[in-house]
Amino acid sequence: MRMRKLPWAQDFLKEQEVVVPDASALAGAWKQTLKRAELHVEIGTGKGDYWVQMAQKYPDIAWVGVEKNINVAALAVRKYTQLEQQPDNMLYIQGDAEVIDTWFAQGEVDVIHLNFSDPWPKKRAHKKRLSNHAFIARYAHILKPDGEIQMKTDNSALFEYSLMEFQEEGWRLKEVSVDYRREEHAEDVITEYERRFLEKGQPIYRAVFVKNGKEKDAPFPEK
């Protein structure tokens, strides 16, 4: 379903300090700006539930949200502004991740999150998938040597495609699940969007891909 146009979205985003007007100007300085030693980037935030809730859950981590659709981005940022107290570990980019390698310096990002990305089911549109080899090359540039991609989706075809794309690009599969929520994962929040699939009995597919290097501890320690 196409997102309706929000006439207030553009002006609203321009007024919010959490929205970075020129992301490339912060390349190499994101951690310094947010005063955090670890940087996570969510590409395709949708309406912002994951970005907002994870930033609250892990205040010692810097969280940057990215969304191409200006209307959806406005809803995500509005969710942030409606918090009783806005966390100081968050920033937002409204833009196309095709140029993500200009927004972050080489090796600057610790973890990239791909949550329920658009599956682009038609074969001619597969190049638009966020797990396409062209995007993977950009991720490899901005991730640290043992950086991770954490991916969740409800779409089995996209999941299978992604497993093959990352394998062909030489990434190591650290974790994989074809029914991620069959066990409790308190370290990873469940958004309203994800809960809809769970209520229908739809399995959630998840994989963690490692760029290279030694396996590191899970980024979200159990509490």
Side-chain angles (χ1 to χ4, degrees):
M1 184 172 67
R2 184 179 293 274
M3 175 69 193
R4 72 183 189 280
K5 184 176 180 179
L6 303 176
W8 51 270
Q10 187 170 6
D11 289 339
F12 172 77
L13 290 172
K14 288 180 179 179
E15 295 169 355
Q16 307 308 316
E17 291 185 3
V18 73
V19 180
V20 179
D22 181 9
S24 60
L26 280 181
W30 291 91
K31 293 179 181 179
Q32 180 181 0
T33 300
L34 288 170
K35 298 180 175 62
R36 302 296 192 280
E38 188 172 343
L39 175 61
H40 288 223
V41 177
E42 184 188 6
I43 303 175
T45 64
K47 297 179 182 179
D49 281 345
Y50 194 81
W51 171 63
V52 169
Q53 293 180 45
M54 289 297 276
Q56 292 177 298
K57 191 175 184 67
Y58 298 99
D60 292 335
I61 295 175
W63 291 87
V64 177
V66 177
E67 175 59 53
K68 178 180 178 180
N69 186 299
I70 190 171
N71 301 295
V72 179
L75 295 176
V77 173
R78 185 174 68 175
K79 195 162 292 182
Y80 163 85
T81 64
Q82 291 174 340
L83 294 174
E84 186 174 340
Q85 184 174 356
Q86 285 81 42
D88 64 355
N89 62 329
M90 303 173 70
L91 286 173
Y92 201 86
I93 302 170
Q94 191 278 304
D96 193 330
E98 283 191 349
V99 294
I100 195 170
D101 52 335
T102 69
W103 298 339
F104 300 93
Q106 184 173 2
E108 185 174 17
V109 179
D110 294 274
V111 179
I112 292 174
H113 299 264
L114 302 177
N115 293 315
F116 304 96
S117 306
D118 193 326
W120 294 105
K122 294 183 179 179
K123 190 169 183 178
R124 65 175 181 271
H126 284 186
K127 63 183 179 181
K128 297 181 180 180
R129 287 175 166 176
L130 291 178
S131 52
N132 175 269
H133 64 88
F135 279 103
I136 293 174
R138 298 180 183 109
Y139 306 152
H141 177 75
I142 65 174
L143 279 170
K144 68 180 185 178
D146 60 346
E148 293 184 355
I149 304 284
Q150 298 183 8
M151 175 185 180
K152 291 200 299 285
T153 181
D154 63 294
N155 188 286
S156 60
L158 175 62
F159 191 64
E160 293 166 1
Y161 170 91
S162 302
L163 291 175
M164 293 304 299
E165 287 288 288
F166 277 99
Q167 177 180 301
E168 290 178 6
E169 294 302 311
W171 291 56
R172 179 168 59 84
L173 182 61
K174 178 181 175 181
E175 297 176 23
V176 64
S177 176
V178 295
D179 192 2
Y180 180 57
R181 297 298 183 183
R182 67 186 165 204
E183 298 176 355
E184 184 178 356
H185 290 279
E187 76 281 4
D188 189 58
V189 302
I190 300 177
T191 65
E192 180 182 349
Y193 183 82
E194 182 178 2
R195 194 171 297 282
R196 273 187 268 163
F197 294 110
L198 296 176
E199 290 173 351
K200 294 177 181 178
Q202 165 71 51
I204 303 301
Y205 305 94
R206 183 179 186 267
V208 177
F209 306 97
V210 180
K211 178 180 170 182
N212 55 46
K214 296 180 180 179
E215 183 168 313
K216 65 178 184 177
D217 294 334
F220 307 128
E222 297 285 350
K223 294 191 173 181

